[in-house]
Structure formats: structure tokens, C-alpha cells
Amino acid sequence: MSRIGKKLIKKDKNVQVSFDNSIVNVQGVKGSLSLSLCEGISLAISEEIIEVVNLNQDKSLDAKHGLYRALIVNMIQGVSFGFHEDLEIIGVGYKVLLQGKSLVFSLGFSHPVVVEPPLGISFVVEGQNKIKVLGIDKEVVGQVASNIRSLKAPDAYKGKGIKYMGEFIKKKQGKSVKK
């Protein structure tokens, strides 16, 4: 049996969890999310505790048992508090502006790069070089942050580009002169 899947999930009073026909719906202060479970996985919901149950006790479902428990915990946390990823732009002339809901980047290309937020995602820009990606779905927040980082990944020699806040970039030495 999955060790993660056996752990019980504590539910907040502000969060409503319902399970019907293998679909989990979670509603909270920030919004609502839903997830479809595979056959053999079920939920036992009481007032304060949720248990993910592996009905078949099949070894192939053990990994999914733990996975679905982790996804449900992330859904509960997302509708209660939300998730965020912080990005930082490093480099002379590199900057970002918030126009309406979309981001406009100046990254040294011949044209500005515009990033539209997907449904449920919002951006906050602090100064000209810090971006915060906000949302209730952890997977979508992480994917949007990764897509933004891939616009101009940090350079290995000077460290210029878009990086996660707190990410360490190991820099290479430049050419060495022979004597």
C-alpha cells in the first residue's frame, strides 16, 4: 500500500469537498477545482477528515493512490490559500510591464514578447524585474512560470535572463588567456 495514500487529509471548515461518480469537486474561498479519479480509487469523506481508498488493493494502483491523495491536498490548499511562483529578470535592458492582464517583456529581441494569462492565472509585477504568478491550481501556476522562464533562460556566463526567485545559476568561467 502507498505510504502517502494512507495518510488522512484534514479538511478546513471553509472548504467543501464532494465526490460523485469518480469526480472530486473542491470549493473554497478562492474558487473551485475538480478532478477525475481512475477506477479503483475512491474517497471516504467525513466532516473533518478525507481518506483516499484503494478499493482493489492492486499494486498498479498504489502509485496512483498516493498521487491522487497529493493532488487532493493541493486542491484544498489552492482553494484556501492559492499558489504563487516568483520570477526575477536579470540583465541590462531586460524588463517587464503589466498591460491589462498580460505581460509585455523586453528581452533583447527585435520585438516585445507578450504573455497572456490562462484562465485562473493572474500576474503581479513589482518594479521592472520581478514577476509573481498567482492561481489556485498548482500545476497550472508552475507550468505558466516555466513557460515564462523559457522565454529567456539564464545565460551560463553572465546569468542574464529570467530565473526563479532564489534559484542559483552556476556560472562558467570565460575564455582563459594562454601565456
Side-chain angles (χ1 to χ4, degrees):
M1 235 184 152
S2 170
R3 291 182 187 168
I4 304 281
K6 284 194 271 185
K7 293 183 180 179
L8 299 177
I9 303 169
K10 292 183 182 177
K11 184 176 74 164
D12 292 340
K13 293 180 181 177
N14 299 332
V15 177
Q16 297 172 346
V17 180
S18 62
F19 179 67
D20 187 36
N21 293 334
S22 75
I23 295 177
V24 180
N25 292 312
V26 179
Q27 292 181 336
V29 178
K30 297 248 180 194
S32 64
L33 294 171
S34 63
L35 174 69
S36 177
L37 300 180
C38 69
E39 280 187 42
I41 303 290
S42 181
L43 286 184
I45 302 172
S46 67
E47 289 187 24
E48 295 181 7
I49 294 176
I50 301 169
E51 183 180 7
V52 181
V53 181
N54 185 351
L55 298 175
N56 299 336
Q57 299 298 327
D58 188 9
K59 286 189 177 188
S60 65
L61 288 178
D62 277 349
K64 291 180 183 177
H65 184 209
L67 169 72
Y68 284 126
R69 187 232 177 242
L71 290 174
I72 292 169
V73 168
N74 287 341
M75 289 168 61
I76 291 172
Q77 185 178 353
V79 298
S80 298
F81 308 109
F83 293 102
H84 67 88
E85 283 285 343
D86 298 328
L87 299 164
E88 182 178 21
I89 301 174
I90 298 175
V92 176
Y94 292 179
K95 63 181 179 178
V96 63
L97 299 170
L98 186 64
Q99 288 185 349
K101 291 184 178 182
S102 59
L103 295 174
V104 180
F105 290 93
S106 296
L107 298 173
F109 300 127
S110 61
H111 53 83
V113 179
V114 178
V115 175
E116 298 288 333
L119 186 64
I121 298 293
S122 61
F123 299 121
V124 175
V125 175
E126 300 167 359
Q128 291 184 344
N129 64 346
K130 294 187 188 331
I131 308 161
K132 188 175 277 199
V133 181
L134 304 166
I136 62 172
D137 191 350
K138 187 174 186 177
E139 181 181 359
V140 176
V141 169
Q143 186 62 51
V144 170
S146 177
N147 291 345
I148 290 172
R149 185 185 182 277
S150 69
L151 294 174
K152 190 76 166 185
D155 162 347
Y157 293 98
K158 294 183 180 180
K160 294 169 49 172
I162 302 173
K163 67 179 192 116
Y164 293 108
M165 194 71 77
E167 178 183 8
F168 177 74
I169 306 296
K170 185 174 179 182
K171 295 180 185 172
K172 294 182 180 180
Q173 288 184 349
K175 277 186 174 179
S176 60
V177 180
K178 291 184 180 181
K179 290 188 179 185

